[in-house]
Amino acid sequence: MTFQEEIQQGIPDFLPNPKPYNSEINHAPKRKDILSAEEKVLALKNALRYFDPKFHAELLPEFRQELEDFGRIYMFRFRPEYDMKAKNIGEYPGKSEQAKAIMLMIQNNLDYAVAQHPHELITYGGNGAVFQNWAQYLLTMKYLSEMTDEQTLAMYSGHPMGLFPSHKDAPRVVVTNGLVIPNYSKPDDWEKFNALGVSQYGQMTAGSFMYIGPQGIVHGTTITVLNAFRIIKKSPKGGIFVTSGLGGMSGAQPKAGNIAGCITVCAEVNPKIAKIRHEQKWVDEIHENLDDLVERVRKAQQDNETVSLAYLGNVVEVWEKFDFEGLKIDIGSDQTSLHNPWAGGYYPVGISFKEANKMMAENPEEFKEKVRKSLRRHAAAINKHTESGTYFFDYGNAFLLEASRAGADVMSENPCLGREFKYPSYVQDIMGPMCFDYGFGPFRWVCASGKLEDLAKTDEIACEVLEEIMKNSPAEIQQQMQDNITWIKGAQQNKLVVGSQARILYADAEGRMKIAEAFNNSIKKGEIGPIILGRDHHDVSGTDSPYRETSNIYDGSRFTADMAIQNVIGDSFRGATWVSIHNGGGVGWGEVINGGFGMLLDGSPDAERRLKSMLFWDVNNGIARRSWARNEGAVFAIKRAMEAEPHLKVTLPHFVDERLF
C-alpha cells in the first residue's frame, strides 16, 4: 500500500503482525499498577471497542500483557511501518488543505527526532501524549483524510469522537485533553483514567499537535538566561548557568546557554537522552565524572568560553560538588518534569537510573519517599549557593511547589500573596513583566512544504517586518524588539530545526499580525508554500497557571481559569484552523488550564481575514486580563491596542494610594 492508502485505511480490517519491542528506542517508564481487577477488565473492554469482535480473542491476551508490562495499553501491533515525520503537505490525502496541515503536525509531534517516547505516542515531559494508543492515531488520520471544510472533528483526550457538520470558518478540529471533574484531578486519578483509556495528559503542545521540537523553548530560555544575567548585572561571558534535564523541552537549555554566551552545566540521568542531544549538537560535551566536570568548568571560565556541558548523573551532586569546590554559580534553575514527580519526571539522587525505574513501578511508595528526600537535599544545596550570591529561579516545572510539598526549605520568611517561595518564578521576574505584560510571546510557524528555502524566506520576511515595526516602537518595548531581531538573524546558523522546518520568535499582536499577513501575501505570489501558524500555550493569554504563566498576577485571580477558556472559545469563532484546551501542561494535571491554536495560511483572502481577527484577540485577551490585575506594563500595552483598534474598549483599573491602608 502507498502512504496515502495506509492513511485512508484507518484501522485495518485485518490484524497486522505483532511488532517486537525495540529496546534501541527511548521508551516511557512502566506506569504503576493502579487499577483494580474489575477496572483492568474495563480497560481491556475500552481498548477492544476499536476493533471488530472477530479479533477480540487474539487481541485480548496481547492487550492484557501490555497493561501488565507497561501500565497502559498502547496497541504496539498497530504502529504504522511508514516513516513518522512531517511531509510536504501535498503528500497527504484529503479534501481539505486545513486537515492536511493537521496531519502534518500530528506526524511532526511523533517524529522520532522530536518525540521523547515515540512508540508510546509521548512527545515530551514524560507523559505529554498526542494519543493514548495507536488505534486513535489511525482513526484520526483517516477522519482527517475524509474531512471537508464543512466538517469539524471532535477529539476527546486523543479519541476522535467523529466528524460533525459545521462550516468553513469553524475549526476543523477541536481538541480537549484531561478535562476531568476538578475533584478527580489528582495524580492518582490521572493515572487511573489514563490506564482506563478514557483521558490523557496532553502537556501544552503535544496533545494539540503544535510541538516543534525543543526549538520552541530555546528562544524562551535564551531570553530568560539573557535577562537573568541582566538582573545580576553581569555579562553572560564566563558566567555559569547550572540546571538539569535534557529530555523533551528541557533539552533546549544548553543550546539556549550557548546562544546567550555563557557556560551551561546541565545534568541528565538518562544516557539515551544525553546521547541524542549530543548527536543533535544541542549540547557540546558529555561528562560522567564530577572532578573532570569541575576542571572543565574552571578551564572554560579561564578561557572565557561559551560552552554547554552535560553531566551524566544527578543535578543534586553538581550543586553539592560545586559548593565543596567553591565554584561560584551565577544563575541556576531546574527543568526536570516535576509536574510528574512520581512517574519519571524527577529521578532521586543516590540510586541509578535503572534502579529508579524499577522502584517506580514495583515500589511506588518507597520511590515517592526517595524523591521527597532528594528534593529536600536538592533545595538545601541550592540554598548554600544563593547565600553566596547565586540567582536561582523556578523555571515553571513545579520545582518549588513539589519541593515545598516535600518539606524542603524553599518558603519565604515573609510570605505574601503570590510570593510564597524563597525564589521567584522566571515569569515573576522576567517573562511576565518584560514580555507577557507587553503582549510578547512565542509566536511560531511551520513551512508546510518542508523546504529549507521556504524557512529561509520566512526568516527574512519576519526580520524585515520586525525591523520596520521597531522604527516606531515605544521605548518600553525596544529591548524586546531588538532581542527578537537578533534571534531571527542568528536562527539559521544556530541549527535549531528538529523535525519540521519551523521557527519561533517572541512577538506582540502587531508583530504577529504583520508577519502573518506578509507570509500570506508571499504565499499568494507563489514565493513560498503554505504556512502553519501557532504558538506555545506558554504565552500571554493561552494559559492560566498560578505558579508559571500567571504567577505575576497579584490581584488574587491567578488561581482562576477564565482567561484560558475565553481564549480558546474566542479563537474558535475568529478563524483558528484547530483549537485545544487542556487540564495540565508544564506544571502538571490539576495545576493549570491551557489553550492553544493552529492556523493554516494558504494565500487566500479568507486566511488574511481570519489571521487579523484571531491573532488580535489571541494576544489582547491576555493583556486585558493582566491590565485588570494592575500590571503596569499591561495597562500601557492595552491602551496602545485601543488606540490602534477603535472597536476595542477595555475596562481599565484605577490604582489605589497605598497610604490609605
Side-chain angles (χ1 to χ4, degrees), residues 519-555:
F519 287 170
N520 202 53
N521 288 335
S522 189
I523 296 164
K524 183 167 60 179
K525 294 173 187 173
E527 296 169 345
I528 55 174
I531 297 291
I532 301 163
L533 300 182
R535 57 162 169 75
D536 196 330
H537 302 197
H538 171 59
D539 195 14
V540 180
S541 67
T543 296
D544 281 299
S545 182
Y547 295 105
R548 195 159 90 166
E549 283 77 6
T550 45
S551 60
N552 72 315
I553 301 288
Y554 300 114
D555 69 347

Side-chain angles (χ1 to χ4, degrees), residues 204-324:
M204 302 196 90
T205 53
S208 60
F209 325 140
M210 204 61 231
Y211 189 56
I212 59 167
Q215 178 189 175
I217 198 173
V218 172
H219 185 31
T221 307
T222 302
I223 289 174
T224 301
V225 171
L226 282 172
N227 282 299
F229 277 106
R230 286 169 183 156
I231 284 171
I232 64 172
K233 296 179 169 56
K234 179 173 179 177
S235 166
K237 268 294 180 202
I240 300 175
F241 169 39
V242 169
T243 184
S244 60
L246 285 174
M249 291 185 117
S250 59
Q253 296 179 108
K255 175 68 86 172
N258 279 4
I259 295 169
C262 63
I263 300 161
T264 305
V265 176
C266 189
E268 171 58 56
V269 295
N270 185 339
K272 283 185 181 175
I273 287 293
K275 182 171 178 282
I276 287 169
R277 291 293 178 239
H278 187 245
E279 287 172 349
Q280 291 175 338
K281 302 191 187 308
W282 287 70
V283 64
D284 297 324
E285 300 171 16
I286 298 177
H287 294 265
E288 298 186 35
N289 180 282
L290 281 169
D291 290 324
D292 292 345
L293 179 67
V294 168
E295 188 180 331
R296 181 68 183 90
V297 170
R298 290 199 194 281
K299 183 179 185 305
Q301 281 188 306
Q302 185 182 323
D303 297 344
N304 226 19
E305 251 184 290
T306 294
V307 67
S308 54
L309 312 170
Y311 170 62
L312 192 53
N314 199 289
V315 72
V316 179
E317 298 167 331
V318 176
W319 284 100
E320 291 175 343
K321 179 69 172 177
F322 281 23
D323 175 56
F324 179 79

Side-chain angles (χ1 to χ4, degrees), residues 13 57 77 218 226 235 268 316 359 383 411 451 469 476 487 542 573 578 582-583 591 616 624 637 648 656:
D13 57 5
R77 178 196 287 256
V218 172
L226 282 172
S235 166
E268 171 58 56
V316 179
M359 186 187 295
N383 290 342
M411 304 310 293
K451 294 177 180 177
I469 293 173
E476 287 84 348
W487 161 267
F573 64 75
W578 75 97
H582 303 183
N583 175 359
E591 303 287 355
F616 184 85
L648 177 66
V656 183

Side-chain angles (χ1 to χ4, degrees), residues 9-23:
Q9 171 187 242
I11 297 172
D13 57 5
F14 62 92
L15 287 184
N17 292 327
K19 292 181 173 60
Y21 186 81
N22 185 346
S23 58

Side-chain angles (χ1 to χ4, degrees), residues 45-81:
K45 286 180 178 178
N46 288 345
L48 289 169
R49 61 184 160 179
Y50 285 99
F51 306 97
D52 191 301
K54 67 185 177 186
F55 300 128
H56 288 183
E58 186 172 347
L59 289 174
L60 178 58
E62 187 177 311
F63 290 172
R64 182 186 286 125
Q65 194 63 49
E66 285 189 14
L67 192 58
E68 176 69 25
D69 291 346
F70 310 113
R72 299 287 187 273
I73 301 170
Y74 296 115
M75 308 180 186
F76 291 126
R77 178 196 287 256
F78 293 92
R79 183 169 52 79
E81 296 283 359

Side-chain angles (χ1 to χ4, degrees), residues 466-480:
L466 292 179
E467 287 179 328
E468 187 60 34
I469 293 173
M470 189 177 173
K471 290 176 184 176
N472 298 306
S473 290
E476 287 84 348
I477 61 170
Q478 284 285 315
Q479 183 69 67
Q480 293 91 322

Side-chain angles (χ1 to χ4, degrees), residues 390-445:
T390 298
Y391 174 68
F392 182 85
F393 55 91
D394 186 297
Y395 200 35
N397 64 329
F399 172 75
L400 290 176
L401 187 62
E402 286 303 330
S404 70
R405 289 168 176 168
D409 179 14
V410 294
M411 304 310 293
S412 171
E413 289 181 7
N414 300 298
C416 60
L417 189 64
R419 284 281 185 171
E420 302 94 335
F421 299 117
K422 238 179 216 198
Y423 307 113
S425 152
Y426 74 117
V427 173
Q428 288 177 313
D429 270 15
I430 299 170
M431 283 303 195
M434 295 180 185
C435 294
F436 294 167
D437 284 354
Y438 288 101
F440 285 82
F443 181 57
R444 57 177 64 168
W445 62 89

